[in-house]
Amino acid sequence: EPEVTQTPSHQVTQMGQEVILRCVPISNHLYFYWYRQILGQKVEFLVSFYNNEISEKSEIFDDQFSVERPDGSNFTLKIRSTKLEDSAMYFCASSAPASGGYTFGSGTRLTVV
Amino acid sequence: GENVEHHPSTLSVQEGDSAVIKCTYSDSASNYFPWYKQELGKGPQLIIDIRSNVGEKKDQRIAVTLNKTAKHFSLHITETQPEDSAVYFCAAVWGMNRDDKIIFGKGTRLHILP
């Protein structure tokens, strides 16, 4: 069964450093998303991406965040200057136009120290 | 704003019994309601979904019912098994476009007791 692949599975970074979280969505999907989950809390929407541009973003997704689809397969989330409160699991997801569901990756655990 | 609430937040059932998790949502424009199961260390996995033009959907031991008037939908798991232990998230999707964001509830932790 097709999967959404995320790398790395765990990333530790120092406060103020830039991080890039990588995702390979399912190949025929056209819509891409990033979500985050702070430990023990609910999954929160960050951003959706379609046709090479952001289609919607949440209040969490401020100027420190950016997304990119640098080639035909990768979808990246960049946090320019990490803060302690950015520590969370970050999930990438993708969906196809006519399908009923969103497929999530296994997540990247980001720890900012 | 958009809001999805789980009831209860924690649920323990004896193995073999049924489990029911209910979610309420705030925006009547929601038209798609997926349920996700999240096991420790893994991403949310879609287990069943329902659209607003359908009242009930079943897939083996799992079923979902939707009451649009009351703005709630429920996940039903019958003949529960130990592997059903997980956190279950309901979600609601607003709008008709496929790039609309999912709004998740806070989740229900389901414990299956031996």
Side-chain angles (χ1 to χ4, degrees):
Chain A
E1 185 157 338
E3 291 184 342
V4 173
T5 306
Q6 288 186 245
T7 54
S9 56
H10 193 184
Q11 172 97 40
V12 181
T13 188
Q14 288 209 321
M15 190 169 55
Q17 294 296 305
E18 174 184 286
V19 294
I20 297 176
L21 309 183
R22 302 181 192 280
C23 170
V24 179
I26 292 174
S27 60
N28 64 341
H29 284 185
L30 299 179
Y31 300 86
F32 314 109
Y33 315 83
W34 282 101
Y35 287 79
R36 80 171 186 190
Q37 186 178 29
I38 294 171
L39 188 63
Q41 299 188 23
K42 67 177 181 179
V43 181
E44 300 174 291
F45 170 78
L46 293 179
V47 65
S48 59
F49 191 87
Y50 170 69
N51 201 24
N52 285 319
E53 61 182 23
I54 291 173
S55 49
E56 188 167 2
K57 59 184 180 180
S58 70
E59 293 176 352
I60 303 168
F61 195 88
D62 60 23
D63 292 343
Q64 295 297 315
F65 291 87
S66 62
V67 289
E68 197 176 37
R69 189 155 162 81
D71 51 43
S73 59
N74 289 285
F75 179 52
T76 61
L77 174 70
K78 182 192 291 186
I79 308 174
R80 190 178 315 138
S81 178
T82 49
K83 303 186 286 287
L84 294 176
E85 53 265 37
D86 293 328
S87 295
M89 281 288 286
Y90 287 80
F91 293 106
C92 172
S94 67
S95 66
S99 72
Y102 300 70
T103 303
F104 282 81
S106 294
T108 293
R109 178 170 295 285
L110 176 65
T111 304
V112 182
V113 297
Chain B
E2 305 137 347
N3 196 31
V4 177
E5 300 277 348
H6 276 257
H7 309 276
S9 57
T10 305
L11 178 63
S12 296
V13 300
Q14 213 68 41
E15 182 180 346
D17 289 350
S18 296
V20 180
I21 303 169
K22 179 179 173 180
C23 279
T24 57
Y25 60 98
S26 60
D27 192 329
S28 55
S30 302
N31 59 357
Y32 173 63
F33 307 92
W35 280 92
Y36 289 85
K37 175 183 180 183
Q38 187 176 21
E39 296 172 282
L40 193 63
K42 297 184 180 179
Q45 299 297 312
L46 178 70
I47 55 172
I48 196 166
D49 56 10
I50 193 168
R51 297 198 176 274
S52 58
N53 58 347
V54 175
E56 182 174 355
K57 184 176 177 181
K58 192 173 181 181
D59 182 4
Q60 299 181 342
R61 296 190 296 111
I62 296 172
V64 55
T65 57
L66 171 64
N67 184 328
K68 283 205 70 179
T69 306
K71 292 193 284 187
H72 66 71
F73 55 110
S74 298
L75 177 71
H76 305 254
I77 306 174
T78 58
E79 300 171 23
T80 52
Q81 300 167 5
E83 53 265 36
D84 294 331
S85 293
V87 177
Y88 291 82
F89 289 96
C90 67
V93 182
W94 277 260
M96 301 298 291
N97 299 319
R98 296 303 292 128
D99 59 342
D100 286 317
K101 63 182 186 284
I102 311 170
I103 302 295
F104 287 91
K106 289 188 176 181
T108 294
R109 182 169 295 280
L110 176 63
H111 299 275
I112 305 302
L113 306 172

